[in-house]
Amino acid sequence: PDRRLAEELGSFFNEQGQRQLAAEYYRSALSQEGKHPQIRPVIAYAKILYDLKAWPDTERLLRRAADRVPTEAKIPLLLGKTLLEQRRWPEALTWFERAIALDPKTAEAYYGCSRIALAQGRREEALRNLKQALAANPYHREALELLRQMDLHQMRRHSE
């Protein structure tokens, strides 16, 4: 199918929960891109690849997209998340910081920074990032849960 139809079919199958089929259509749509890439199918395809834990494919797609559309905050955010899942913390942090520079209200990027800081034993930095995530989105479920876990851990340490 042509690019537009392939994109619409990718979106349809993604909404139906048929991720593999959606990925095929998005891949087809992206292969037909001209000089001016459409960001929506790139993001949708990257999210599917991320959900499928296809880390190398997700990273490759997002790095190309970041070069072509350097002003879209969702691209470095997804790339940061992809690298975080692979425990490539310094690289992930760089991409989260880029997402924040593009959109300072990106709660998910602050949350990613907090996970990295916590994994590296920098508790205070993790708390600062969690507070920034919650300032950007007071209902960010993962940030709230991580903050709760950190509080519980702190309480246990003080009771011992």
Side-chain angles (χ1 to χ4, degrees):
D2 71 6
R3 186 193 59 78
R4 183 174 285 269
L5 178 58
E7 183 181 330
E8 289 176 16
L9 288 168
S11 178
F12 171 78
F13 286 115
N14 191 29
E15 289 171 7
Q16 300 299 312
Q18 297 182 33
R19 298 224 181 268
Q20 292 287 358
L21 194 52
E24 290 176 30
Y25 280 108
Y26 280 127
R27 189 176 312 112
S28 173
L30 294 174
S31 72
Q32 299 174 47
E33 258 183 8
K35 288 186 178 184
H36 305 288
Q38 298 293 314
I39 197 62
R40 194 169 55 101
V42 171
I43 299 291
Y45 184 35
K47 285 180 179 179
I48 290 170
L49 292 172
Y50 178 88
D51 289 345
L52 295 172
K53 298 181 181 354
W55 309 133
D57 293 336
T58 308
E59 181 180 350
R60 197 170 22 261
L61 174 67
L62 291 169
R63 285 188 186 276
R64 267 196 321 266
D67 288 341
R68 295 173 90 186
V69 188
T71 58
E72 173 57 57
K74 290 177 185 173
I75 294 169
L77 173 63
L78 284 170
L79 187 49
K81 289 174 64 173
T82 300
L83 295 165
L84 177 65
E85 290 300 323
Q86 298 173 76
R87 296 177 173 245
R88 292 166 56 189
W89 294 325
E91 288 177 273
L93 186 60
T94 298
W95 287 100
F96 285 137
E97 289 171 345
R98 186 179 296 185
I100 291 166
L102 291 169
D103 181 2
K105 295 186 180 189
T106 307
E108 189 70 21
Y110 288 112
Y111 170 70
C113 290
S114 68
R115 285 186 53 200
I116 293 167
L118 193 59
Q120 295 178 334
R122 299 188 319 266
R123 187 177 177 357
E124 293 305 314
E125 183 180 336
L127 281 171
R128 278 193 306 276
N129 281 306
L130 280 175
K131 288 177 183 176
Q132 289 180 293
L134 292 169
N137 177 1
Y139 304 103
H140 191 281
R141 189 173 42 91
E142 292 94 349
L144 289 167
E145 177 59 23
L146 184 56
L147 187 59
R148 186 186 72 75
Q149 288 174 3
M150 289 175 71
D151 284 345
L152 286 174
H153 179 73
Q154 187 70 16
M155 287 173 26
R156 285 187 191 129
R157 286 183 61 208
H158 286 305
S159 68
E160 292 176 357

